[in-house]
Amino acid sequence: NAGVTQTPKFRILKIGQSMTLQCTQDMNHNYMYWYRQDPGMGLKLIYYSVGAGITDKGEVPNGYNVSRSTTEDFPLRLELAAPSQTSVYFCASSYGRAAKNIQYFGAGTRLSVL
Amino acid sequence: GESVGLHLPTLSVQEGDNSIINCAYSNSASDYFIWYKQESGKGPQFIIDIRSNMDKRQGQRVTVLLNKTVKHLSLQIAATQPGDSAVYFCAENYGGSQGNLIFGKGTKLSVKP
């Protein structure tokens, strides 16, 4: 059982480039989330989705976009990369609402924007 | 406890001792709390959770205590092992339409052999 899988594990971008961080889960979870983690800081919610076709902003959505066309996949798009987006990105999923259900995390994507 | 700036608070314990990691949460209306463990280079891993109608919950070698009066959460690890070395995060649900979680900055636990 793979759980939550993120690709790539590492990426270096130049300022202004675009990329998509991939996330897929095989637990048939309805809820999926994207977080960023800066050094020495807790996780900040970027976007979340409560099911296919439904997404909503989290605490720090600026500079990012998401889509949820299937239950399994929840890609995160960076359109014009900026140095402030250098971070570690984690995707997570849960069966139900975050407040009542355990979130399961992927291994993360470490992104550097230079 | 919670960190300020870029430096995580660090707890250093001897192998075999008990560890206590503390967390102050922000919202008195939060009704669900969760502890995660994050090893270097990995994603957070669920340890234990507790709902606000409980004061204590036990798992395997871990106990979570909740003091709603002072908005304080603690994680106790019994007989700490080298494999317990990691950063530990607490999280609370802050309500809202989806009840999303707010994560603390974390505490680094180092276990000395």
Side-chain angles (χ1 to χ4, degrees):
Chain A
N1 193 345
V4 178
T5 302
Q6 292 183 237
T7 56
K9 293 191 185 321
F10 304 95
R11 184 72 185 268
I12 297 174
L13 286 181
K14 294 182 179 179
I15 295 171
Q17 286 186 320
S18 301
M19 77 163 294
T20 300
L21 283 67
Q22 301 291 345
C23 175
T24 187
Q25 51 93 7
D26 62 0
M27 298 175 281
N28 201 31
H29 283 169
N30 294 316
Y31 287 61
M32 296 187 74
Y33 313 84
W34 274 106
Y35 293 91
R36 60 176 288 170
Q37 184 178 38
D38 298 322
M41 302 295 286
L43 298 163
K44 300 291 186 185
L45 182 65
I46 305 171
Y47 271 96
Y48 66 97
S49 168
V50 304
I54 306 171
T55 63
D56 208 346
K57 296 178 180 179
E59 185 180 355
V60 289
N62 292 343
Y64 307 95
N65 281 299
V66 293
S67 60
R68 183 95 181 270
S69 57
T70 66
T71 299
E72 296 78 19
D73 300 307
F74 190 40
L76 177 72
R77 178 83 178 161
L78 283 70
E79 290 294 348
L80 292 170
S84 61
Q85 293 177 305
T86 294
S87 190
V88 182
Y89 292 84
F90 289 101
C91 178
S93 72
S94 65
Y95 180 73
R97 294 175 72 228
K100 309 296 181 188
N101 289 270
I102 299 165
Q103 292 187 28
Y104 296 89
F105 285 82
T109 295
R110 187 175 297 273
L111 177 66
S112 294
V113 182
L114 305 175
Chain B
E2 298 302 312
S3 66
V4 175
L6 297 179
H7 301 290
L8 288 174
T10 299
L11 176 65
S12 185
V13 300
Q14 203 70 39
E15 181 178 358
D17 287 351
N18 297 333
S19 303
I20 299 176
I21 300 171
N22 297 304
C23 178
Y25 64 91
S26 57
N27 191 335
S28 58
S30 292
D31 62 358
Y32 177 69
F33 305 87
I34 192 166
W35 280 99
Y36 281 94
K37 171 187 180 183
Q38 187 177 23
E39 296 174 275
S40 181
K42 297 184 179 180
Q45 180 182 16
F46 169 79
I47 302 173
I48 192 167
D49 58 358
I50 188 169
R51 302 193 191 284
S52 60
N53 61 353
M54 303 173 69
D55 297 323
K56 178 179 179 179
R57 191 172 187 208
Q58 288 184 292
Q60 187 176 14
R61 282 202 307 120
V62 295
T63 300
V64 55
L65 298 177
L66 175 62
N67 185 331
K68 294 181 287 293
T69 301
V70 295
K71 295 189 288 186
H72 184 268
L73 199 64
S74 69
L75 177 70
Q76 300 179 0
I77 304 173
T80 312
Q81 303 168 0
D84 295 327
S85 294
V87 175
Y88 290 81
F89 295 94
C90 66
E92 62 179 301
N93 88 296
Y94 64 80
S97 61
Q98 296 302 328
N100 289 322
L101 295 174
I102 283 186
F103 286 81
K105 295 183 178 68
T107 296
K108 183 177 181 180
L109 175 65
S110 293
V111 182
K112 296 176 287 186

